[in-house]
Amino acid sequence: MKDRIETLLGEIEAFAAQNAEQAEQFRLNYLSRKGKISTLFEEFKTVAPDMKREVGQLLNRLKTKAEEKLESLRTRSESEESTSGHTDWFAPSGAPQGSRHPLQLVRREILDIFGRLGFTVEEGPEVEDDWHNFSALNFPEEHPARDMQDTFFIDVTDPKNPHALRTHTSSVQVRILEKTKPPVRIVMPGRVYRNEAISARAHCFFHQVEGLYVDKAVSFADMKQTLLYFSREMFGADTQIRLRPSYFPFTEPSAEMDISCTICHGKGCNVCKHSGWVEILGCGMVDPAVLSNCGIDPNVYSGFAFGMGIERITMLKYGVNDLRLFSENDVRFLGQFGGG
Ligand code: DAH
């Protein structure tokens, strides 16, 4: 009998209940009138008189233990049920909220604006070969942009077609034109790399959005109107643009586009160096040689292209004056832009 009491003591101690039902099961098993402990009390009558004192004490201890356990099972299952039954999953957690990176916000806005004009999004690889980054885009063999000082070459096993980190997203134009029959109307966002000393105005990596429209009879006027629409959507309806003649190997004619200064609205300030204008992108009519390189007949098709830095647009839009802030991951800076 002493052994059976010890065993029951062990069982009772180890018993765990998840809910009120299991606590009740415990009561029925051990403490009810037909439970194991009552049965032992019944048997107690048959215990030899010289053992009665010792066994009686043990039995009483067992009963008290069981009652205490039942009490604790009941209170625990009650409190667990009340929390799981009433948890408010939407209550504020108290943890600080994240926000989108400003470059992501602006990237999305640029793609949205061109999306409204029917431009779809394409992407290309960051590790690019010489053909797609330079040759197909009409860069002459000795062009300085190919120089080791500007380009991060990563594999020159084939000197005629070395691999490098792309220096601009214009490479994606080539990749898409090679495999698509016009009309092509696309914007191509992505990260680009240049071997530059890091400063407030330059970084060894940054982001661009490239644009391309190739079809029959696409004109310079189409380009101008597209870029005016973009500028006014991005910087406000009173924004003016101006195009200055420039040179890029892959466009002819080429231009750089300025917008009226977003800070002083043309009156003259530090950002626009008192000129009233700030440059935001390069553009031009796709050079016929580029179309031919991609297997497109320049006598049938024409097109325009443009390329802009996302950092530059973001700096103008939000008045940020140091490029390095975008990659330092300081949440005091990043948290100011909101945007979920
Ligand atoms: N790829 C040029 C750069 O990285 C930007 C550019 C200029 C892109 C003119 C174009 C363009 O498509 O037509 O500086």
Side-chain angles (χ1 to χ4, degrees):
M1 181 131 179
K2 271 165 62 183
D3 285 351
R4 282 164 58 209
I5 295 176
E6 292 293 343
T7 318
L8 275 190
L9 263 174
E11 266 180 38
I12 285 169
E13 231 149 76
F15 194 95
Q18 311 293 339
N19 50 39
E21 231 170 85
Q22 287 169 2
E24 175 61 7
Q25 196 56 50
F26 177 88
R27 191 190 65 79
L28 288 173
N29 243 343
Y30 299 101
L31 288 165
S32 64
R33 259 200 294 137
K34 293 206 166 120
K36 292 180 181 171
I37 295 175
S38 305
T39 314
L40 284 177
F41 272 100
E42 281 297 313
E43 285 177 30
F44 180 68
K45 294 172 194 154
T46 64
V47 171
D50 58 331
M51 294 289 288
K52 271 208 155 62
R53 192 181 146 86
E54 193 188 349
V55 176
Q57 277 174 353
L58 266 180
L59 256 183
N60 280 333
R61 221 179 91 214
L62 178 67
K63 193 170 179 208
T64 322
K65 276 262 174 231
E67 282 165 353
E68 282 169 10
K69 181 79 180 192
L70 180 63
E71 192 53 36
S72 88
L73 290 178
R74 278 180 173 160
T75 42
R76 181 158 332 149
S77 67
E78 253 169 42
S79 74
E80 269 170 24
E81 276 180 10
S82 70
T83 41
S84 66
H86 297 97
T87 301
D88 180 357
W89 300 108
F90 300 100
S93 69
Q97 244 191 331
S99 59
R100 274 183 208 279
H101 194 284
L103 294 179
Q104 275 301 324
L105 289 173
V106 171
R107 174 191 194 269
R108 197 160 61 163
E109 196 171 345
I110 296 170
L111 300 183
D112 270 1
I113 294 170
F114 284 105
R116 297 201 280 277
L117 293 174
F119 285 74
T120 54
V121 178
E122 291 284 354
E123 284 177 296
E126 292 184 17
V127 174
E128 195 47 284
D129 58 16
D130 181 272
W131 170 255
H132 292 94
N133 197 76
F134 294 126
S135 297
L137 288 166
N138 213 26
F139 279 79
E141 207 63 58
E142 67 290 351
H143 195 282
R146 294 178 178 225
D147 200 292
M148 279 287 191
Q149 261 116 57
D150 284 338
T151 307
F152 288 114
F153 286 98
I154 57 173
D155 167 20
V156 265
T157 41
D158 175 3
K160 280 214 167 346
N161 196 21
H163 283 77
L165 296 177
R166 67 179 172 197
T167 59
H168 54 182
T169 43
S170 305
S171 54
V172 189
Q173 285 187 31
V174 181
R175 292 211 165 257
I176 303 301
L177 284 179
E178 278 176 340
K179 60 173 193 195
T180 323
K181 194 176 155 10
V184 170
R185 191 159 45 192
I186 50 176
V187 271
M188 297 148 275
R191 183 176 280 189
V192 303
Y193 302 83
R194 288 183 200 172
N195 195 357
E196 304 249 14
I198 297 169
S199 71
R201 320 189 108 248
H203 213 297
C204 56
F205 69 83
F206 55 100
H207 301 80
Q208 291 186 328
V209 174
E210 186 83 11
L212 177 71
Y213 179 24
V214 177
D215 201 352
K216 289 178 179 152
V218 173
S219 71
F220 198 90
D222 294 330
M223 180 182 85
K224 213 173 144 184
Q225 196 59 34
T226 303
L227 296 177
L228 177 64
Y229 174 80
F230 163 73
S231 304
R232 293 194 164 163
E233 288 293 292
M234 181 55 103
F235 294 106
D238 57 347
T239 306
Q240 304 292 315
I241 63 167
R242 75 174 184 188
L243 290 161
R244 285 178 290 102
S246 185
Y247 173 78
F248 299 101
F250 38 90
T251 42
E252 182 58 37
S254 304
E256 277 165 322
M257 191 183 89
D258 300 339
I259 56 167
S260 47
C261 182
T262 52
I263 310 287
C264 64
H265 301 282
K267 287 191 202 75
C269 68
N270 281 340
V271 171
C272 63
K273 300 201 193 75
H274 300 280
S275 71
W277 297 95
V278 281
E279 184 195 319
I280 64 161
L281 55 81
C283 57
M285 300 306 290
V286 180
D287 193 300
V290 174
L291 293 176
S292 301
N293 286 339
C294 299
I296 290 167
D297 185 350
N299 296 313
V300 180
Y301 293 104
S302 59
F304 67 76
F306 56 88
M308 66 185 90
I310 302 182
E311 277 81 352
R312 177 137 189 83
I313 306 284
T314 311
M315 288 168 97
L316 287 171
K317 197 169 166 75
Y318 291 112
V320 176
N321 59 11
D322 192 327
L323 196 66
R324 291 169 291 198
L325 289 165
F326 293 125
S327 49
E328 278 170 352
N329 285 341
D330 185 334
V331 289
R332 290 169 302 180
F333 170 71
L334 297 175
Q336 295 175 58
F337 298 89

